[in-house]
Amino acid sequence: QKEVEQNSGPLSVPEGAIASLNCTYSDRGSQSFFWYRQYSGKSPELIMSIYSNGDKEDGRFTAQLNKASQYVSLLIRDSQPSDSATYLCAGEWGSSNTGKLIFGQGTTLQVKP
Amino acid sequence: GAGVSQTPSNKVTEKGKYVELRCDPISGHTALYWYRQSLGQGPEFLIYFQGTGAADDSGLPNDRFFAVRPEGSVSTLKIQRTERGDSAVYLCASSLDRGVDEQYFGPGTRLTVT
């Protein structure tokens, strides 16, 4: 089992819709999770961090964490064509606070005008 | 302020050669990380520095890879006797401190070994 798993997609949504991106992880000790956006040919850009169970909202983005189910998600409201990118989920490895991140392979999002 | 910078942006080298990749973190960030990303995959952890010391080098694939951060700021990733399988984008990230702090990535160095 991969340590952080994401569906590679592509996930296609129409402009204005809600895009839902999901991620599961295997390490129960992981405490911190991050969502990065990566445009083709560019480096990952941090969108959201989440450390506690529940929801965290920032503008059009909402991150959700459920530690009991080992599940992290990212919702993008009012999706725009400029949101088309690969979204990477990352979890901190273990509970020793090292900052070592384990990434999923990413989900490609396509927002159709 | 300035973000993480990496040089060179692209490096083409022949199999067996030695390469150095440089990372300059965000000013004031004490933690520095190197990752490697292959096409279609997420970044893969290589090594982490807290200050001048390598706190975790468990991701380095073998002893051909080595990294230093002598003054606690700029870091250099060194690869000896390069192999074609080393071809990837090498990403550097920094964070204010270790642990839960958010990591910010540089633009990466694309290494191609021919």
Side-chain angles (χ1 to χ4, degrees):
Chain A
Q1 181 187 6
K2 290 183 182 177
E3 292 148 341
V4 177
E5 293 208 51
Q6 297 181 254
N7 188 321
S8 61
L11 172 66
S12 185
V13 300
E15 183 174 355
I18 295 175
S20 178
L21 303 158
N22 305 313
C23 170
T24 58
Y25 61 95
S26 61
D27 181 5
R28 283 198 170 273
S30 295
Q31 299 294 319
S32 309
F33 298 89
F34 305 87
W35 283 99
Y36 287 84
R37 176 174 63 197
Q38 187 170 29
Y39 291 113
S40 181
K42 301 295 185 182
S43 63
E45 172 193 6
L46 181 67
I47 300 175
M48 296 278 289
S49 59
I50 186 165
Y51 309 113
S52 304
N53 277 326
D55 295 0
K56 179 181 178 182
E57 186 175 320
D58 184 359
R60 295 187 297 114
F61 299 97
T62 298
Q64 299 173 318
L65 174 58
N66 184 325
K67 291 186 180 179
S69 300
Q70 296 176 247
Y71 179 89
V72 192
S73 67
L74 179 70
L75 300 177
I76 306 175
R77 290 181 298 282
D78 188 22
S79 295
Q80 300 297 309
S82 58
D83 293 327
S84 298
T86 296
Y87 289 80
L88 296 161
C89 171
E92 183 194 2
W93 181 248
S95 56
S96 57
N97 206 30
T98 64
K100 173 181 175 179
L101 296 182
I102 303 297
F103 283 83
Q105 69 178 46
T107 298
T108 299
L109 173 66
Q110 297 174 346
V111 180
K112 301 279 177 73
Chain B
V4 178
S5 62
Q6 291 186 247
T7 55
S9 55
N10 280 284
K11 177 70 176 179
V12 180
T13 191
E14 293 180 349
K15 179 176 178 295
K17 298 289 188 183
Y18 168 81
V19 296
E20 289 190 352
L21 311 179
R22 175 189 166 107
C23 172
D24 198 343
I26 294 171
S27 178
H29 280 195
T30 63
L32 184 147
Y33 308 81
W34 284 99
Y35 294 83
R36 177 169 72 173
Q37 187 174 25
S38 300
L39 196 62
Q41 302 297 316
E44 174 191 11
F45 171 83
L46 296 177
I47 187 170
Y48 147 59
F49 287 91
Q50 181 62 40
T52 59
D56 183 346
D57 65 357
S58 61
L60 294 178
N62 51 59
D63 60 7
R64 295 187 298 106
F65 289 74
F66 189 70
V68 296
R69 194 186 185 199
E71 297 178 357
S73 178
V74 171
S75 175
T76 304
L77 178 65
K78 308 180 181 193
I79 310 174
Q80 299 177 319
R81 304 184 305 281
T82 51
E83 298 177 358
R84 292 194 180 87
D86 298 334
S87 297
V89 176
Y90 288 79
L91 295 164
C92 177
S94 71
S95 68
L96 193 59
D97 200 349
R98 69 172 189 174
V100 300
D101 284 324
E102 298 163 341
Q103 296 181 26
Y104 298 91
F105 282 87
T109 293
R110 181 175 298 278
L111 176 66
T112 303
V113 182
T114 62

